[in-house]
Amino acid sequence: GTRDMGAAGETPEWRLEPYEASPAGRKYAALVRDFNHAGFDPAPVEDAAAQGSQLRTLQIAFWKAWLRGDPAAQAQLIQAAAKSKPGDPVWFRAR
């Protein structure tokens, strides 16, 4: 989240370093506006704020893609990343 500072004062971007440094191929990163470290698990989709709802949708697609091997969920993740851009409530990336 954009409010998720490290214990030693690192910026939220610091948390993305492993994503940036890892080899490409089925890697995902989401940066959620106004979320802190405990904001990763929003309320159910129907009750959540816009970015919480979007994050929950991505979480469900991720688990379907990896636990069920669902190609439609994998495609959903790739499509979501293609549409996402910096400044969105949830900036979602795939590499």
Side-chain angles (χ1 to χ4, degrees), residues 53-83:
S53 176
Q54 185 179 2
L55 180 59
R56 178 52 55 98
T57 298
L58 292 168
Q59 289 170 332
I60 292 168
F62 178 84
W63 292 119
K64 285 182 177 179
W66 297 111
L67 297 179
R68 295 183 182 169
D70 183 341
Q74 178 71 26
Q76 181 182 355
L77 293 170
I78 293 167
Q79 183 178 37
K83 291 179 180 178

Side-chain angles (χ1 to χ4, degrees), residues 9-94:
E10 298 91 348
T11 66
E13 292 78 13
W14 165 78
R15 295 195 185 279
L16 294 172
E17 287 180 10
Y19 169 79
E20 298 293 344
S22 67
R26 298 172 21 166
K27 307 283 189 304
Y28 304 95
L31 183 61
V32 185
R33 184 181 329 149
D34 296 329
F35 271 37
N36 61 23
H37 195 72
F40 65 90
D41 193 19
V45 172
E46 60 275 3
D47 297 331
Q51 64 264 40
S53 176
Q54 185 179 2
L55 180 59
R56 178 52 55 98
T57 298
L58 292 168
Q59 289 170 332
I60 292 168
F62 178 84
W63 292 119
K64 285 182 177 179
W66 297 111
L67 297 179
R68 295 183 182 169
D70 183 341
Q74 178 71 26
Q76 181 182 355
L77 293 170
I78 293 167
Q79 183 178 37
K83 291 179 180 178
S84 188
K85 59 188 179 306
D88 285 350
V90 177
W91 180 22
F92 184 68
R93 294 177 277 171

